[in-house]
Coordinates of all heavy atoms in Angstrom, one line a residue:
Chain B
N66 N -31.0 -6.4 13.0 CA -31.3 -7.9 13.1 C -31.2 -8.4 14.5 O -32.1 -8.9 14.9 CB -30.2 -8.7 12.2 CG -30.5 -8.6 10.7 OD1 -31.6 -8.5 10.3 ND2 -29.4 -8.5 10.0
A125 N -65.8 14.3 16.8 CA -64.6 13.5 16.7 C -63.3 14.4 17.1 O -63.3 15.6 16.9 CB -64.3 12.9 15.3
G203 N -56.9 0.3 26.6 CA -56.4 0.3 27.9 C -57.3 0.8 28.9 O -56.9 0.7 30.1
T326 N -70.6 13.8 31.0 CA -70.3 12.3 30.7 C -71.7 11.5 31.0 O -72.2 11.8 32.0 CB -69.2 11.8 31.6 OG1 -68.0 12.6 31.5 CG2 -68.8 10.4 31.2

Side-chain angles (χ1 to χ4, degrees):
Chain B
N66 281 322
T326 308

